[in-house]
């Protein structure tokens, strides 16, 4: 596949790294920053071109005439949208994906948003702020979760929880899960990380304190399953948000009817705007690294502190200070991947990487077959993947076969099947696969995803 990427920032360079590692991909990166491109070309087997990605001549020199996909991932929405329009009109590039950051393009409503993106010939769009806002809202709903992922129109969810003594399943084999759960509640424990080493669980595997447990369940039952892995914690009531930018504002607006929200914004004009546009949230003008301000606002009574500014160092310092002053739980946005590895699981409870989330969304569009969702896990070393089965027994390697009869690629662990409103866990292997089924996998080795893609692809005769 021939792919042109606009932008060599954190998102563009990491996407390029993922794509260049895949076989048969020819990747070209365009950016105005010559130094950034020089650094990338020394690390990756990609072509680089210095210039504006919205320039027809630059796109042509990058090989746009026979390009399969344009990924417009610069920091500037206008450049991304204009490049998609040019790619469609002048070069007939079939797949044009734009990163759209500003909420102005997104808050007209779904139909209006679609019309705006169609006007710029965008075939698919990625909204980093929206992705992060949804992730933060999920984490507020599940007090003890390190991560919560949604699948099949939110019929199923995968949660990552650290096991603590007091949970009914801790120091017990997984085979006892069913005995502890109420009638009609089931789950699939997909993976366990113990001291950063993967354990593929069996019925005899014993969960111990400190284990990072990945499980999947019907969305309605996630909290019930979580109670098996750690003691029940007090419901989140008081939330403090550091940073009133796009993400901080969108999150406060979405959840202010559920929690008592305090939001700290350094810029006086922005703080005034927030106060006018939020209903019940309390807006404080000041610095989230001001110890006196945090103490005066009773940080020791805050259930969750979220550091959501655009500055990694500010987020880190504000989070460490909030934790030291008594905040029960701290969630931080960090853009630099190296910082994520250093910080997660120490004094900061949860580190969220917008770039990894954006990359997962992009990979959904790039995978072969009908891949509905890709979520990077463990800083990108593993993935949770949702695929949709298509075809007939004659045109598909899966349709008509029982789950237990399929030889899944090594490192690809079947978690659940979603059919209509019904969620069936992976340990029930008698179900026959049908056209339209959603299958969810935990993939511990990313290189086997290519084998999974081939397995779900439909033979050519299906389209005849």
């Amino acid at each position: 596949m021939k792919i042109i990427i606009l932008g060599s920032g954190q998102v563009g360079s990491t996407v390029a790294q993922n794509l260049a590692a895949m076989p048969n991909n020819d990747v070209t990166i365009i950016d105005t920053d010559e130094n950034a491109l020089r650094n990338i070309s020394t690390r990756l087997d990609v072509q680089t071109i210095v210039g504006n990605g919205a320039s027809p001549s630059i796109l042509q020199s990058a090989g746009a005439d026979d390009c399969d996909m344009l990924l417009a991932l610069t920091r500037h929405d206008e450049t991304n949208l204009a490049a998609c329009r040019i790619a469609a009109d002048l070069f007939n590039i079939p797949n044009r994906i734009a990163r759209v950051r500003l909420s102005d393009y997104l808050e007209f409503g779904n139909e209006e948003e679609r019309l705006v993106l169609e006007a710029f010939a965008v075939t698919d769009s990625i909204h980093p702020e929206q992705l992060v806002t949804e992730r933060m809202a999920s984490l507020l709903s599940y007090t003890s979760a390190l991560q919560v992922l949604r699948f099949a129109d939110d019929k199923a969810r995968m949660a990552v929880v650290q096991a603590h003594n007091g949970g009914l399943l801790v120091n017990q084999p997984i085979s006892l899960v069913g005995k502890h759960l109420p009638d009609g509640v089931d789950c699939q424990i997909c993976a366990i990380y113990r001291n950063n080493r993967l354990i593929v669980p069996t019925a005899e595997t014993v969960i111990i304190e400190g284990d990072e447990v990945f499980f999947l369940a019907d969305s309605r039952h996630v909290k019930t399953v979580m109670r098996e892995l750690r003691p029940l914690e007090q419901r989140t009531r008081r939330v403090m948000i550091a940073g009133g930018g796009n993400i901080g504002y969108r999150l406060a607006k979405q959840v202010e009817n559920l929690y008592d929200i305090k939001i700290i914004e350094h810029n006086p004009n922005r703080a005034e705007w927030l106060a006018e546009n939020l209903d019940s949230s309390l807006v404080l003008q000041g610095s989230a690294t001001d110890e006196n301000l945090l103490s005066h606002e009773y940080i020791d009574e805050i259930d969750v502190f979220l550091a959501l500014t655009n500055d990694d160092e500010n987020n880190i310092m504000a989070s460490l200070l909030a934790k030291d002053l008594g905040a029960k739980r701290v969630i931080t946005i960090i853009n630099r991947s190296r910082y994520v590895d250093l910080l997660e699981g120490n004094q900061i409870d949860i580190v969220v990487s917008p770039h990894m989330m954006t990359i997962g969304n992009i990979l959904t569009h790039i995978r072969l077959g009908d891949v509905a969702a890709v979520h990077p896990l463990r800083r990108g070393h593993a993935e949770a993947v949702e695929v949709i089965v298509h075809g007939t027994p004659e045109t598909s390697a899966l349709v008509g076969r029982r789950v237990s009869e399929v030889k899944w690629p090594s490192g690809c662990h079947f978690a659940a099947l979603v059919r209509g409103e019904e969620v069936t866990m992976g340990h029930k292997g008698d179900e026959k696969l049908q056209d339209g089924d959603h299958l969810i996998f935990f993939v511990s080795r990313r290189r086997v995803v290519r084998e999974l893609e081939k397995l779900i692809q439909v033979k050519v005769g299906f389209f005849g």
Side-chain angles (χ1 to χ4, degrees), residues 85-140:
R85 182 79 262 176
I86 293 168
D89 291 350
L90 299 186
F91 302 106
N92 199 29
I93 297 177
N95 299 301
R96 304 169 299 276
I97 300 174
R99 176 189 185 190
V100 182
R101 302 176 73 235
L102 291 178
S103 56
D104 292 4
Y105 292 110
L106 310 177
E107 292 179 350
F108 295 111
N110 290 336
E111 181 61 21
E112 290 81 0
E113 176 191 335
R114 183 184 64 80
L115 292 173
V116 168
L117 296 174
E118 279 184 1
F120 288 99
V122 176
T123 54
D124 283 294
S125 58
I126 295 160
H127 313 305
E129 279 83 359
Q130 187 174 340
L131 292 172
V132 175
T133 302
E134 291 172 357
R135 178 66 58 82
M136 293 295 181
S138 293
L139 290 172
L140 287 176

Side-chain angles (χ1 to χ4, degrees), residues 370-387:
D370 195 348
V371 177
V374 177
H375 296 286
L377 302 167
R378 301 289 301 178
R379 275 78 76 191
H381 299 300
E383 289 182 352
V385 181
E386 176 190 349
V387 304

